Amino acid sequence: MNSTAATASAPPRSAPATQSQTVMQILGAVAFAHLLNDLVQAMLPSIYPMLKAEFGLSFTQVGLITLTFQCTASLLQPWIGLYTDRRPMPYLLPAGMVATFIGVLMMAVAHSFPALLVSAALIGVGSSTFHPEASRVARTASGGRFGFAQSLFQVGGNVGSALGPVLAAAIIIGRGQGNIGWFAVLVGVAFAVLVYVSRWHSAHLASLPRKKAVVAQSPLPKARVYGALAVLALLVFSKYIYMSSLSSYYTFYLIDKFGVSVSSAQMYLFLFLAAVAAGTFMGGPIGDRIGRKRVIWMSILGAAPFTLALPYVDLFWTAVLTVVIGFVISSAFSAIVVFAQELMPGKVGMIAGIFFGLMFGVSGIGAAAMGHIADVAGIAYVYQLCSYLPLLGILTVLLPHIEQHKR
């Protein structure tokens, strides 16, 4: 961590000399920044049990916190991506971290439910500025290995999401709300790394020859493209509503059904999120080799047998199944993003913003809805209801074979 931050103070003076060296330096830096960004975000649902007890919140209010974060994290992303497709803004990356920094510090001192909502909103604003531009940088530094680059970028975020509950349990749970402020240190490190990344990206853009803009053409008719994007959006819906049920309420489910402690529940959540990170990393490179449509098939529909069994097993098999579910279902997102970018070439930032925004928006709406369902029917019913969502993976049959159209 220190070496990365130190590197940030000495950015390259010009565009990198060697492509292979530059690719891995920048991809590594962007993935590390994604790790820190999503680690801070994962801290939020990890401390829900503490906030619920300290502020006397209902499950509906817990869901509203997630909804507030996810909405601010989603609504701005497509517009930021669209704008920066036309007018690149490399320094938007560290600027977004400032909003996250303020949100974390505010959450550490919040004394009311509205203040929690505002702090969650600020963290979401930071996320909305990070993901489209960082995804663009990853693609720029990919050297043509788009699936690998997107997976490496994504796995950084997933590793951060897995570490978030562990650090929250070690630093915050049982020690008080004020300890949330320690996470601002991690935001500061992310800021330094992103300054380095932004300077590289700015130098890279300046080194490109000026040429007349060429409108990139999709390999498919416009109606077919929009239909495929609609299918991809529905697949993201099925994937992230289910993922939200685990990331937001899994600890409550374990405590309610099996009587485990908060700290033990956090460890089970860590296992699930670690499996998500592993599955994300595998999805992109496999998609580069065998085709992204096949990865989407196997990821979403392939998770259905395990999600359908989950509500009816004991604690041991609950842990096993959630690890399998996390690994299988998470491999789809990188493939979905790259698939969509290939459907609309030249719209890298906009597509990244739409799908990252859709991911956050769907997760937020789902979390709020599931919080209300949990209040009315119980937390166990949430998992019975959501277990059918991966069956929507059958819609993958409607996606075109892009590789065939390219040939």
Side-chain angles (χ1 to χ4, degrees):
M1 183 178 295
N2 292 335
S3 62
T4 308
T7 306
S9 64
R13 296 178 182 274
S14 61
T18 58
Q19 181 75 355
S20 60
Q21 181 185 15
T22 300
V23 164
M24 294 315 300
Q25 281 181 342
I26 300 305
L27 285 180
V30 172
F32 181 61
H34 200 188
L35 183 155
L36 296 173
N37 180 80
D38 285 21
L39 188 155
V40 172
Q41 293 177 14
M43 171 268 295
L44 184 57
S46 299
I47 62 173
Y48 282 167
M50 182 189 75
L51 295 178
K52 188 174 188 294
E54 290 191 7
F55 289 84
L57 305 179
S58 66
F59 280 118
T60 300
Q61 288 176 308
V62 170
L64 286 174
I65 295 174
T66 299
L67 177 63
T68 300
F69 162 71
Q70 304 285 27
C71 282
T72 56
S74 64
L75 294 179
L76 293 176
Q77 287 200 44
W79 302 106
I80 291 172
L82 180 62
Y83 184 85
T84 56
D85 278 336
R86 299 172 180 175
R87 298 177 180 84
M89 299 177 64
Y91 288 93
L92 190 63
L93 286 170
M97 281 296 149
V98 175
T100 301
F101 184 83
I102 296 171
V104 170
L105 291 181
M106 185 173 178
M107 183 161 288
V109 298
H111 294 296
S112 66
F113 177 64
L116 290 177
L117 294 180
V118 173
S119 59
L122 286 170
I123 296 173
V125 168
S127 177
S128 69
T129 59
F130 174 80
H131 286 98
E133 194 64 20
S135 181
R136 180 201 312 283
V137 172
R139 188 175 178 90
T140 300
S142 69
R145 299 168 65 192
F146 302 132
F148 169 76
Q150 190 62 228
S151 280
L152 186 61
F153 170 65
Q154 275 296 105
V155 81
N158 291 134
V159 170
S161 296
L163 292 175
V166 177
L167 288 184
I171 297 172
I172 302 172
I173 303 299
R175 292 173 174 81
Q177 179 187 353
N179 277 25
I180 295 173
W182 286 106
F183 280 73
V185 176
L186 301 178
V187 180
V189 175
F191 176 87
V193 173
L194 290 176
V195 168
Y196 164 69
V197 170
S198 295
R199 290 182 180 179
W200 175 86
H201 195 206
S202 181
H204 174 81
L205 292 173
S207 71
L208 296 176
R210 294 179 177 271
K211 57 184 179 180
K212 187 177 180 180
V214 178
V215 178
Q217 296 293 326
S218 172
L220 296 168
K222 186 175 292 187
R224 190 84 168 96
V225 169
Y226 291 152
L229 289 175
V231 170
L232 292 173
L234 287 171
L235 295 175
V236 169
F237 169 85
S238 68
K239 169 181 164 59
Y240 278 100
I241 288 286
Y242 189 82
M243 293 283 280
S244 181
S245 74
L246 286 171
S247 61
S248 293
Y249 298 105
Y250 187 40
T251 53
F252 293 112
Y253 175 72
L254 294 174
I255 293 168
D256 178 71
K257 185 172 182 178
F258 302 111
V260 302
S261 66
V262 173
S263 297
S264 295
Q266 298 287 8
M267 293 302 105
Y268 284 107
L269 180 60
F270 167 76
L271 289 175
F272 163 72
L273 295 174
V276 168
T280 299
F281 182 73
M282 296 299 295
I286 292 174
D288 284 338
R289 294 188 178 185
I290 70 171
R292 300 180 223 292
K293 183 174 179 178
R294 290 176 181 169
V295 171
I296 296 169
W297 262 119
M298 294 184 293
S299 175
I300 298 180
L301 190 60
F306 307 106
T307 63
L308 290 168
L310 181 65
Y312 308 102
V313 297
D314 60 18
L315 179 60
F316 172 79
W317 284 107
T318 294
V320 171
L321 287 179
T322 51
V323 167
V324 174
I325 290 166
F327 182 85
V328 173
I329 204 169
S330 63
S331 61
F333 190 68
S334 296
I336 288 173
V337 171
V338 177
F339 195 103
Q341 289 172 339
E342 291 175 345
L343 284 170
M344 297 191 70
K347 301 292 185 182
V348 174
M350 185 188 75
I351 289 296
I354 287 173
F355 279 90
F356 278 105
L358 185 63
M359 173 184 75
F360 285 115
V362 164
S363 298
I365 294 170
M370 286 182 288
H372 181 68
I373 292 170
D375 282 333
V376 173
I379 195 72
Y381 181 70
V382 168
Y383 289 90
Q384 295 173 9
L385 186 64
C386 291
S387 66
Y388 297 95
L389 286 170
L391 293 175
L392 288 175
I394 195 69
L395 294 174
T396 306
V397 72
L398 301 176
L399 292 177
H401 294 281
I402 293 182
E403 291 83 1
Q404 292 178 1
H405 287 279
K406 284 182 176 179
R407 287 195 292 268

